[in-house]
């Protein structure tokens, strides 16, 4: 990267740092759940427009999604900076207020020099990561079709690159039977028994499931009285696999269990599946570029241990479409989805770290736009390491 561009990016982000911190605190004090992020969406769009981005609202038909664009010289690639801003029911305990802030800061920083570079910057606002699959819908509807590289940062309790993620799907099952008095159980069809045996059959199949697969579930409803045979019962399972193909194996095992209990008890079942979050592929060349910039700011960046347990995120679906990174930035010692992490997401240290993250993200984007060689190396790695799935396998339907 040219020294001039680097200095301009850092200086611009420093100049707007107070504005960025106020944004982070404002989002933190107005937590909004999936697909209802109207306050966040409006404020992020205002900031992008203030700094020269042309913004399309309602991207992919989602009210709280957007795409901001700023163009440089003709002929270069498209780098997308992604923003999340939905909260949990308990508030911003996953730090998405900082994700949005870092992405806005990076957009402002790279926007200061984009006129000197070949290509364009997109800032894509992606709602509903915490259930709802905003990025899944946006992938399905072609938002990333013309994107060459995608990036965002997630706050965490350690600095890390190259972290993966598991494929996941939520499945709700409803069983319908026939009521009867508890003294005449033979006259009924017990829907609760069907639910219980579904859990037992999934436990029995665990040894047959692919490595790193997991199945967790709970009973939603199991009846209304102890002396009545339940005519209705329901449950929900969270199924995970190391990759999409493994998740589909787990899903088939669950379907076998459902068919078996229907045959055994005479129930009928209705299933409802959420969108699939796929496994994640973090591009090493992009991650290493980011790591270098963050470490130049005094941070130490780790790599995942071989035994590290992964969760899931809809950034995985994006990583199947284009070379993608989601590095992690330490803001405190607490785990995500806790009250401690929620406090860290508005702490002075957390806000200062977000400024560092914005700079590292913008500098990474600048490196990519400046270097055709780096662009080519990133794309070659993507072709070597990322599998191709059919739309049917991914559950896409548009």
């Amino acid at each position: 990267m040219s020294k001039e561009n680097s200095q301009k990016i850092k200086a611009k982000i420093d100049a707007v740092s107070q504005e960025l911190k106020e944004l982070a605190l404002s989002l933190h004090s107005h937590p909004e759940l999936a697909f209802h992020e109207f306050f966040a969406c409006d404020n992020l769009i205002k900031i992008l427009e203030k700094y020269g981005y042309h913004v399309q609202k309602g991207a992919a038909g989602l009210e709280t999604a957007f795409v901001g664009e700023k163009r440089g010289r003709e002929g270069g690639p498209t780098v997308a900076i992604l923003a999340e801003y939905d909260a949990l029911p308990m508030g911003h305990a996953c730090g998405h207020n900082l994700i949005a802030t870092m992405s806005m800061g990076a957009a402002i920083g790279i926007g200061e020099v984009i006129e000197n570079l070949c290509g364009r910057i997109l800032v894509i606002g992606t709602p509903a990561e915490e259930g709802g699959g905003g990025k899944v819908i946006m992938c399905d509807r072609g938002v990333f079709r013309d994107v060459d590289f995608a990036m965002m940062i997630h706050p965490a309790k350690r600095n890390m690159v190259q972290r993966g993620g598991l494929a996941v799907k939520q499945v709700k099952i409803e069983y319908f039977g026939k009521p009867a008095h508890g003294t005449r159980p033979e006259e009924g069809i017990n829907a609760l028994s069907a639910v219980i045996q579904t859990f037992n059959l999934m436990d029995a199949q665990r040894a047959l499931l692919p490595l790193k697969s997991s199945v967790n579930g709970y009973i939603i409803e199991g009846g209304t009285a102890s002396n009545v045979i339940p005519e209705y019962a329901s449950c929900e399972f969270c199924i995970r696999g190391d990759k999409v193909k493994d998740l589909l194996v787990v899903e088939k095992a669950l379907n076998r269990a459902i068919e078996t209990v229907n045959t055994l008890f005479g129930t009928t079942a209705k299933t409802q599946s959420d969108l699939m979050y796929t496994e994640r592929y973090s591009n090493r060349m992009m991650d290493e570029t980011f790591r270098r910039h963050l470490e130049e700011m005094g941070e130490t960046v780790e790599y995942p241990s071989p035994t590290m347990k992964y969760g899931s995120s809809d950034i995985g679906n994006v990583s199947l479409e284009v070379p993608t990174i989601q590095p992690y930035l330490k803001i405190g010692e607490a785990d995500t989805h806790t009250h401690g992490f929620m406090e860290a997401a508005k702490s002075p240290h957390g806000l200062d770290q977000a400024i560092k993250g914005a700079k590292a993200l913008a500098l990474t984007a600048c490196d990519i736009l400046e270097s055709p060689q780096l662009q080519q190396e990133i794309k070659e790695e993507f072709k070597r390491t990322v599998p191709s799935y059919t739309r049917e396998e991914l559950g896409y339907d548009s």
Side-chain angles (χ1 to χ4, degrees), residues 32-52:
E32 298 167 302
L33 300 180
F35 298 121
H36 292 84
E37 312 96 329
F38 297 104
F39 176 86
C41 189
D42 288 346
N43 279 274
L44 298 179
I45 288 173
K46 287 177 184 177
I47 288 175
L48 289 174
E49 290 178 339
K50 175 182 176 181
Y51 289 98

Side-chain angles (χ1 to χ4, degrees), residues 185-261:
E186 69 279 4
E187 296 178 6
I189 298 176
N190 196 319
L192 177 59
S193 292
V195 165
I196 293 170
Q197 288 305 316
T198 302
F199 279 82
N200 291 337
L201 287 172
M202 290 309 296
D203 283 338
Q205 294 183 89
R206 286 184 189 276
L208 308 177
L209 300 180
L211 186 67
K212 298 184 182 179
S213 301
S214 68
V215 180
N216 300 286
Y218 75 105
I219 297 173
I220 301 171
E221 188 173 339
T224 56
S226 59
N227 63 344
V228 176
I229 300 303
E231 66 175 321
Y232 174 84
S234 59
C235 57
E236 184 174 274
F237 285 90
C238 175
I239 57 176
R240 299 183 195 264
D242 187 42
K243 294 179 171 56
V244 167
K245 64 182 181 64
D246 297 327
L247 178 63
L248 295 176
V249 171
V250 181
E251 189 172 27
K252 286 181 180 179
L254 180 58
N255 289 333
R256 285 197 302 268
I258 295 169
E259 292 171 5
T260 299
V261 298

Side-chain angles (χ1 to χ4, degrees), residues 56-347:
Q56 172 202 347
K57 303 177 183 179
L62 303 175
E63 281 189 279
T64 54
F66 61 84
V67 177
E69 179 185 29
K70 199 167 188 180
R71 289 183 173 270
R73 298 172 184 170
E74 293 296 324
T78 296
V79 176
I81 299 171
L82 313 186
E84 293 176 5
Y85 32 85
D86 60 321
L88 295 159
M90 67 188 296
H92 274 294
C94 203
H96 291 191
N97 63 310
L98 296 183
I99 294 177
T101 298
M102 288 186 281
S103 294
M104 292 303 108
I108 294 168
I110 190 66
E112 188 74 359
V113 300
I114 189 63
E115 64 182 16
N116 303 322
L117 302 169
C118 292
R120 64 172 180 158
I121 294 294
L122 296 184
V123 184
I124 302 179
T126 65
E129 189 276 333
E130 297 287 359
K135 295 184 195 65
V136 182
I137 296 169
M138 297 175 88
C139 285
D140 182 7
R141 297 178 182 174
V143 170
F144 294 92
R145 193 168 292 143
D146 296 324
V147 172
D148 295 293
F149 311 96
M151 59 182 71
M152 59 175 283
I153 303 173
H154 202 296
K157 68 175 185 179
R158 64 186 68 176
N159 297 319
M160 184 176 294
V161 295
Q162 286 292 289
R163 181 176 174 180
L166 301 177
V168 67
K169 181 185 280 190
Q170 308 277 350
V171 182
K172 180 182 178 181
I173 310 166
E174 296 177 285
Y175 284 106
F176 302 88
K178 179 182 176 183
H181 194 278
T183 60
R184 300 185 300 278
E186 69 279 4
E187 296 178 6
I189 298 176
N190 196 319
L192 177 59
S193 292
V195 165
I196 293 170
Q197 288 305 316
T198 302
F199 279 82
N200 291 337
L201 287 172
M202 290 309 296
D203 283 338
Q205 294 183 89
R206 286 184 189 276
L208 308 177
L209 300 180
L211 186 67
K212 298 184 182 179
S213 301
S214 68
V215 180
N216 300 286
Y218 75 105
I219 297 173
I220 301 171
E221 188 173 339
T224 56
S226 59
N227 63 344
V228 176
I229 300 303
E231 66 175 321
Y232 174 84
S234 59
C235 57
E236 184 174 274
F237 285 90
C238 175
I239 57 176
R240 299 183 195 264
D242 187 42
K243 294 179 171 56
V244 167
K245 64 182 181 64
D246 297 327
L247 178 63
L248 295 176
V249 171
V250 181
E251 189 172 27
K252 286 181 180 179
L254 180 58
N255 289 333
R256 285 197 302 268
I258 295 169
E259 292 171 5
T260 299
V261 298
N262 280 336
T263 300
L264 181 62
F265 295 105
T267 50
T268 56
K270 177 183 176 182
T271 62
Q272 179 180 338
S273 298
D274 286 350
L275 299 172
M276 182 194 298
Y277 289 17
T278 73
E279 75 268 21
R280 184 192 319 169
Y281 296 89
S282 286
N283 186 274
R284 181 174 289 277
M285 292 299 298
M286 292 174 67
D287 262 339
E288 290 301 325
T289 303
F290 173 87
R291 180 188 62 79
R292 184 179 71 252
H293 289 302
L294 193 60
E295 289 192 336
E296 286 174 353
M297 289 181 246
E299 299 290 321
T300 300
V301 180
E302 303 176 12
Y303 297 90
S305 71
T307 58
M308 184 176 185
K309 293 185 177 181
Y310 292 141
S312 307
S313 170
D314 58 3
I315 191 70
N317 296 67
V318 180
S319 77
L320 293 178
E321 300 273 329
V322 298
T324 301
I325 57 170
Q326 182 186 275
Y328 290 81
L329 180 69
K330 182 177 179 178
I331 64 168
E333 301 296 334
D335 288 309
T336 56
H337 292 214
T338 64
H339 290 289
F341 199 85
M342 185 163 59
E343 290 300 309
K346 66 174 182 178
S347 68

